[in-house]
Amino acid sequence: MRVIAGAKKGRQLKAVPGTSTRPTTDKVKEAVFHMIGPFFSGGLCLDLFAGSGSLGIEALSRGMERTVFVDKDPKAIQTIRQNLRTMELEQKAEVFRADAYRSLQAVKKRELQFALILIDPPYKKADYFQILHTIESLELINGHGIIYCEHDTVASMPDDLRHFSILKQENYGGTTGVTIYQHT
């Protein structure tokens, strides 16, 4: 795993030890960021189910001002912190060991709104409908913000959101699907 583009281009990232996470491949990461960026001029990013932090770090490398990383696995939190330290991005990040749903409530209390939300949970272990409807009801996306969802190719993704439309849906290989929503 590496950072694909931007200020930290080419730098290696550590993966979370064990089999509890499934890192986004460099190929998928590159394709996705070309669709949603490819570069940013500031803004806040939320990396839910962050794993190694690879997606949020990519967003920082490409110009996001700040990223909030959330994962409930202690090994993932340790890996995120290590990757941020290695990339010298600690001042641009907040890392929380928490459940994704509780963290959405917490960022609402802080009155944060994001330009980009990255959602990459373990396949078949998260309710995308609940997550996306919660993000929508809590008004966590600003302006024309984007939500990136990585999922199993057979997953049914919500298309009934009132304030978001599907910008793009792609399948990569036999197992990885990506749905990108944009605030309307």
Side-chain angles (χ1 to χ4, degrees), residues 3-9 39-40 56-64 89:
V3 178
I4 305 299
K8 305 298 179 180
K9 179 181 179 179
F39 295 96
F40 308 101
I57 288 171
E58 187 73 33
L60 287 170
S61 180
R62 291 174 182 251
M64 276 288 160
L89 292 170

Side-chain angles (χ1 to χ4, degrees), residues 48-49 101 104 117-119 127-141 146-149 151 156-164 166 179-182:
L48 282 177
F49 308 96
Y101 301 102
L104 293 175
I117 296 180
L118 305 163
I119 304 171
D127 183 341
Y128 291 96
F129 288 83
Q130 183 182 357
I131 293 169
L132 291 166
H133 284 284
T134 300
I135 289 169
E136 185 173 50
S137 69
L138 295 177
E139 299 177 354
L140 298 179
I141 287 282
I146 291 175
I147 301 172
Y148 161 88
C149 295
H151 49 81
S156 174
M157 297 302 290
D159 60 4
D160 64 340
L161 300 165
R162 292 181 34 217
H163 301 291
F164 295 96
I166 294 176
T179 303
I180 299 170
Y181 296 89
Q182 184 161 30

Side-chain angles (χ1 to χ4, degrees), residues 17 51 73-85 95:
D73 181 347
K75 289 180 186 174
I77 295 300
Q78 184 178 7
T79 303
I80 294 165
R81 291 187 191 284
Q82 185 178 9
N83 282 331
L84 288 168
R85 209 170 16 259
V95 182

Side-chain angles (χ1 to χ4, degrees), residues 44-112:
L44 289 177
C45 175
L46 175 62
D47 190 351
L48 282 177
F49 308 96
S52 66
S54 170
L55 292 172
I57 288 171
E58 187 73 33
L60 287 170
S61 180
R62 291 174 182 251
M64 276 288 160
E65 180 181 332
R66 196 158 181 74
T67 297
V68 176
F69 296 87
V70 176
D71 204 295
K72 67 179 183 180
D73 181 347
K75 289 180 186 174
I77 295 300
Q78 184 178 7
T79 303
I80 294 165
R81 291 187 191 284
Q82 185 178 9
N83 282 331
L84 288 168
R85 209 170 16 259
T86 300
M87 298 293 151
E88 300 170 337
L89 292 170
E90 295 163 295
Q91 276 63 40
K92 293 184 167 208
E94 295 179 55
V95 182
F96 296 100
R97 181 176 173 217
D99 173 77
Y101 301 102
R102 295 179 110 206
S103 67
L104 293 175
Q105 297 295 331
V107 296
K108 176 62 177 177
K109 286 180 184 172
R110 292 176 59 194
E111 298 181 3
L112 296 178

